[in-house]
Amino acid sequence: MALRTAQIKNIVFDMGNVLMRFDGPHFAAQFTDCEADAHALHRALFGSTTWALLDSGTVGYDTALRVTKAHLEKRLWPNLDACFAGWAAYSSPIDQTNALAAELKREGYGIYLLSNAGTRIHEQLDHMPAWGLMDGAVVSGCERMMKPDPAIYQLLCERYDLEPGECLFVDDNADNCEGARVAGMRAVQYTGDVAAILAALED
């Protein structure tokens, strides 16, 4: 484990594919035995622009479900209803990053969450080990702004009295990392290598 540097005091984690797995095709496959139907469910729900609008807070869940049904065969509506209501139960924790968050917390770092997600994010957070360690969180659907807009990173810092230059942001998306840098944070793209996060703390 890297020694705590004087510069970085806070680690800001993304959730999807950093702390919790987000895999739309896998989620969709839990709600049908037919591969073609699973593909159709994924495409209509997780692979649609409506999902991004949900994460941005632009539309609510009732609207998102109604719009999604308009792009799906009616025979699959019951599968869609079940998937829309229950997919989060199949979003599993990423053990190595949750363990890292716990270790960094013990070392004295502030631990924060900054996620592009809808307002029902608690359905994933309820089984995310690191959630109980968090010193604060900002969720796009609640704020009606999204990464990589620098404003959402600035909001996190203002809300929790953080200095951007003292924050290391960890996200699987390169554009989101760049948004953090524009906001004054340091950033590392997570590709499955926890060592890269530790190396960023040492720089």
Side-chain angles (χ1 to χ4, degrees), residues 18-83:
V18 175
L19 292 169
M20 298 291 289
R21 290 181 177 83
F22 188 89
D23 184 345
H26 170 71
F27 300 151
Q30 309 312 306
F31 298 91
T32 175
D33 294 328
C34 173
E35 183 176 350
D37 288 349
H39 179 70
L41 283 172
H42 164 66
R43 185 175 63 248
L45 183 57
F46 305 108
S48 71
T49 55
T50 303
W51 191 260
L53 294 174
L54 191 61
D55 281 354
S56 72
T58 305
V59 299
Y61 283 87
D62 290 345
T63 298
L65 183 59
R66 185 170 63 252
V67 171
T68 302
K69 283 182 174 179
H71 295 87
L72 195 65
E73 294 180 60
K74 191 170 184 178
R75 67 178 181 83
L76 290 176
W77 286 7
N79 306 75
L80 176 63
D81 287 339
C83 183

Side-chain angles (χ1 to χ4, degrees), residues 15-24 26-28 30-31 46 51 83 86-95 98 115 117 120-129:
M15 182 178 67
N17 292 327
V18 175
L19 292 169
M20 298 291 289
R21 290 181 177 83
F22 188 89
D23 184 345
H26 170 71
F27 300 151
Q30 309 312 306
F31 298 91
F46 305 108
W51 191 260
C83 183
W87 69 268
Y90 299 93
S91 176
S92 57
I94 299 174
D95 293 338
N98 278 270
S115 179
R120 281 167 35 187
I121 189 174
H122 65 276
E123 295 174 1
Q124 289 175 278
L125 296 179
D126 285 349
H127 55 281
M128 186 178 85

